[in-house]
Amino acid sequence: MKAANLFLGIGAGMVLLGILALANPFTASLAVTTFVGILFLLGGVAQAWLTFRGIDAEHRMSHGVIALLNIVVGVWLLANPLSGTASLTFVVGALFLIMGAMRLIVGLRMPRHAMRPLLWFTGLASIVIGVVIFSDFQNVATTLLGVLLGVQLLLDGLGLLVLGLSGRGPRL
């Protein structure tokens, strides 16, 4: 199979999944929370395995605590996906605010440079998104992750479609 056709197939699938996620962001948000919960659980089990293998006996206690925390968070997200979705949305909102502030600080400290206005713009945009998240948290908490997933899948899928079409060469 040619790489271009593979890109086209994967891209089309991602666009379809992105549209489905945007059509039902609540379900997509729960899917994101479930996926993150599985990742935490698997990471915790892997960390526990490393802890009991005994290779790094000096740090066994810290590895064990990290393993336990990962397993607890993973089980909690899987057992309570709705409250987990709200918690993850809170973290995402906080990240938007913090990263926006950091971009503004870097942009203000940067000497005159072509990137300076772009840093200000992206910093302000991130802060605005963070403020929007927290100003209507009750309504946003159950859909934000699904919307972000849908937009990401849609944009990545479109990118792969363009890559696949460009890899096919000119058609006459």
Side-chain angles (χ1 to χ4, degrees), residues 1-16 157 160-161 164:
M1 174 180 268
K2 279 180 68 176
N5 291 337
L6 185 62
F7 288 151
L8 287 170
I10 293 172
M14 290 176 77
V15 166
L16 178 65
L160 286 175
L161 286 173

Side-chain angles (χ1 to χ4, degrees), residues 39-63:
L39 290 178
F40 269 107
L41 189 58
L42 291 175
V45 168
Q47 188 76 33
W49 180 75
L50 290 173
T51 299
F52 292 113
R53 265 196 86 212
I55 293 174
D56 189 12
E58 181 181 343
H59 299 101
R60 184 174 290 172
M61 180 63 104
S62 62
H63 288 297

Side-chain angles (χ1 to χ4, degrees), residues 25 55 62 68-69 107 145:
I55 293 174
S62 62
L68 180 64
L69 288 173
L145 299 177

Side-chain angles (χ1 to χ4, degrees), residues 3-154:
N5 291 337
L6 185 62
F7 288 151
L8 287 170
I10 293 172
M14 290 176 77
V15 166
L16 178 65
L17 289 173
I19 291 169
L20 290 173
L22 289 171
N24 194 347
F26 175 73
T27 302
S29 292
L30 292 178
V32 168
T33 302
T34 301
F35 181 69
V36 171
I38 289 169
L39 290 178
F40 269 107
L41 189 58
L42 291 175
V45 168
Q47 188 76 33
W49 180 75
L50 290 173
T51 299
F52 292 113
R53 265 196 86 212
I55 293 174
D56 189 12
E58 181 181 343
H59 299 101
R60 184 174 290 172
M61 180 63 104
S62 62
H63 288 297
V65 169
I66 291 169
L68 180 64
L69 288 173
N70 277 308
I71 290 170
V72 166
V73 169
V75 168
W76 178 74
L77 287 172
L78 293 171
N80 304 302
L82 193 55
S83 61
T85 298
S87 298
L88 289 176
T89 300
F90 181 87
V91 170
V92 168
L95 284 173
F96 272 112
L97 290 173
I98 292 166
M99 293 186 68
M102 295 304 295
R103 284 190 200 114
L104 283 178
I105 290 168
V106 169
L108 290 171
R109 291 185 176 176
M110 180 183 277
R112 292 215 176 271
H113 190 274
M115 297 300 289
R116 192 173 180 182
L118 183 61
L119 279 173
W120 288 346
F121 175 74
T122 60
L124 285 173
S126 290
I127 289 172
V128 167
I129 292 169
V131 167
V132 167
I133 289 170
F134 287 116
S135 68
D136 193 20
F137 191 77
Q138 295 286 37
N139 292 320
V140 172
T142 57
T143 58
L144 177 71
L145 299 177
V147 170
L148 292 175
L149 174 67
V151 168
Q152 185 66 41
L153 285 169
L154 195 59

